[in-house]
Amino acid sequence: MSDILTSLVDDFEEVIEFLHLELKTLRTGRATPALVENIQVEAYGARTPIVGLASISTPDARTIVIDPWDKNLLKDIERGIQEAKTGLNPVIQGKIIRISMPALTEESRRELAKIMSDKLEQARIGIRGVRENAKAEIIRKEKDKEIPEDDKYRMLEQLEKMVAGFNDKIKSAGEEKEKDIMTI
């Protein structure tokens, strides 16, 4: 495989990793720290993710507990979660914030499936963008006589195989998440 295609693997993997992070933020009815850990909170004059301000735990399948290291940030964290429009309802209980996960209705499951398909499409767009940049680079190298025409076609063929493989990863990630969303 050429240097161009080898260097692309990281770009493709970056798109897939971002997709996985995005899919983790989708609520499936089960409590998971990933739902809140990257929510930005105004603290100490800067936007900071909750994971940098507090410990996050899930004592049971339907509850998230956020325990700020600085108890003065309770209201700020609560406000940050509400402003993030995640559909989560934080409640301050003493020195912690408790979030109870409501059971998902059929309608909310369908809505989450739509959001998920949007995220999958964004990942596909990212993959296409990387592919187009690589194609342009391969064609430019052939025009500049840095590679022969045969190599250009071989590299373009390998590129399409790589793209198909990464699109399969996107599809399987989507199917797995859809199964989580639709499971009652």
Side-chain angles (χ1 to χ4, degrees):
M1 201 180 327
S2 78
D3 293 340
I4 297 171
L5 296 180
T6 305
S7 68
L8 289 177
V9 173
D10 289 341
D11 295 341
F12 285 129
E13 288 292 345
E14 226 174 84
V15 172
I16 299 297
E17 182 62 32
F18 183 75
L19 172 65
H20 285 297
L21 290 174
E22 285 289 299
L23 291 179
K24 281 182 184 177
T25 65
L26 289 178
R27 197 161 56 103
T28 59
R30 281 192 300 275
T32 172
L35 292 172
V36 296
E37 63 188 12
N38 291 316
I39 292 176
Q40 298 289 314
V41 173
E42 189 68 39
Y44 309 118
R47 304 287 295 167
T48 309
I50 291 176
V51 73
L53 301 171
S55 63
I56 304 168
S57 61
T58 52
D60 60 59
R62 295 240 182 249
T63 309
I64 299 173
V65 174
I66 302 170
D67 187 5
W69 297 309
D70 180 352
K71 303 306 178 194
N72 296 325
L73 294 177
L74 279 168
K75 286 283 188 199
D76 295 324
I77 293 172
E78 178 189 38
R79 189 175 326 107
I81 294 168
Q82 290 168 340
E83 289 173 355
K85 295 186 182 2
T86 57
L88 301 174
N89 188 21
V91 176
I92 296 176
Q93 293 181 336
K95 296 181 179 190
I96 63 167
I97 297 174
R98 186 175 302 278
I99 301 171
S100 294
M101 303 293 295
L104 292 176
T105 64
E106 188 65 30
E107 183 181 328
S108 59
R109 288 178 195 280
R110 289 188 213 286
E111 187 61 34
L112 280 173
K114 278 189 215 171
I115 293 169
M116 181 201 63
S117 62
D118 288 345
K119 291 183 185 298
L120 294 175
E121 185 56 31
Q122 289 303 313
R124 285 187 206 97
I125 290 169
I127 294 289
R128 284 195 298 266
V130 173
R131 178 185 63 194
E132 292 309 311
N133 291 340
K135 259 184 168 175
E137 179 69 12
I138 292 168
I139 290 169
R140 184 198 61 77
K141 283 187 177 275
E142 192 258 339
K143 277 187 180 170
D144 292 347
K145 306 284 187 221
E146 293 178 36
I147 59 172
E149 189 176 4
D150 288 349
D151 284 355
K152 175 184 93 169
Y153 289 116
R154 188 173 19 264
M155 289 169 69
L156 290 174
E157 188 176 314
Q158 287 176 328
L159 176 63
E160 290 306 317
K161 286 180 184 174
M162 286 173 66
V163 168
F166 283 101
N167 278 330
D168 287 343
K169 286 184 179 185
I170 291 171
K171 183 180 177 186
S172 66
E175 288 170 351
E176 188 178 314
K177 189 64 176 187
E178 186 171 15
K179 198 181 334 175
D180 278 352
I181 290 171
M182 293 305 181
T183 302
I184 297 177

